[in-house]
């Protein structure tokens, strides 16, 4: 198994970039619709709030959140993704940053809401990631996760078919990890 740093490097260099309206396959388009639906749902609760979008890829979801948020910051390990996000989505309340995947470059209690859509299954180490989210959220802040459900996608003991997924969780496993 790859180390945490090796997996972050792989994600940064090799994971596909999502460019709206440039889908090569129906599967890419459907995955984009699923991701967009999570952002549209989360946008209902961000009015006037400071939002951190972890694993923002090319920023299309951060833009959805920024439309109603007080501020939105999209972060990703991929410099290519963040470069594209910065050139595609601009505004007074939106920004993008490359992060190392280990330490979030923000002060304690900086955000009211954190979104983490289709990211946790890509991680080798969860504790540091969860602790950083907790650190940058305000005391009454919330985090919104989405991730594939292993019970719907995998047979018992089966490895994830997506080469970038380290582990896919059942609902019970995810709840235990988040505790």
């Amino acid at each position: 198994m790859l180390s945490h740093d090796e997996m972050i490097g792989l994600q940064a260099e090799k994971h596909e970039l999502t460019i709206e309206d440039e889908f090569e396959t129906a599967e890419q388009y459907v995955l984009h619709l699923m991701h967009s639906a999570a952002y549209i749902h989360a946008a209902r609760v961000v009015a006037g709030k400071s939002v951190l979008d972890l694993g923002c890829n090319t920023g299309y979801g951060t833009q959805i959140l920024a439309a109603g948020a007080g501020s939105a910051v999209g972060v990703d390990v991929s410099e290519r993704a963040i470069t594209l996000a910065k050139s595609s989505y601009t505004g007074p309340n939106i920004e993008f940053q490359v992060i190392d995947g280990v330490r979030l470059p923000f002060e304690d209690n900086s955000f009211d809401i954190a979104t983490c859509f289709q990211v946790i299954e890509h991680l080798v180490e969860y504790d540091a990631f969860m602790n950083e989210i907790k650190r940058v959220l305000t005391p009454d802040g919330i985090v919104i996760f989405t991730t594939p459900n292993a019970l719907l996608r995998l047979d018992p003991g089966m490895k994830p078919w997506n080469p970038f997924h380290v582990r896919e969780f059942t609902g019970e496993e995810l709840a235990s990890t988040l505790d």
Side-chain angles (χ1 to χ4, degrees), residues 60-76:
Y60 63 90
T62 311
Q63 175 66 25
I64 292 170
L65 297 171
S71 64
V73 178
V75 298
D76 202 283

Side-chain angles (χ1 to χ4, degrees), residues 93-120:
N93 69 332
I94 190 169
E95 69 174 277
F96 297 97
Q97 294 185 28
V98 178
I99 60 162
D100 67 5
V102 177
R103 174 102 174 119
L104 295 174
F106 307 107
E107 298 290 326
D108 295 357
N109 306 313
S110 297
F111 298 95
D112 301 307
I113 297 175
T115 58
C116 185
F117 298 146
Q118 307 297 317
V119 173
I120 194 169

Side-chain angles (χ1 to χ4, degrees), residues 116-121 145-150 167-169 174:
C116 185
F117 298 146
Q118 307 297 317
V119 173
I120 194 169
E121 67 273 10
F145 284 92
T146 64
T147 188
N149 185 337
R167 175 181 179 194
E168 292 184 8
F169 297 86
L174 182 61

Side-chain angles (χ1 to χ4, degrees), residues 44-92:
R44 297 180 200 169
V45 299
V46 303
K49 302 207 182 283
S50 57
V51 181
L52 175 62
D53 184 20
L54 297 147
C56 71
N57 199 280
T58 59
Y60 63 90
T62 311
Q63 175 66 25
I64 292 170
L65 297 171
S71 64
V73 178
V75 298
D76 202 283
V77 296
S78 171
E79 189 171 326
R80 295 176 309 131
I82 294 300
T83 297
L84 189 54
K86 286 179 176 180
S87 68
S88 300
Y89 306 105
T90 60

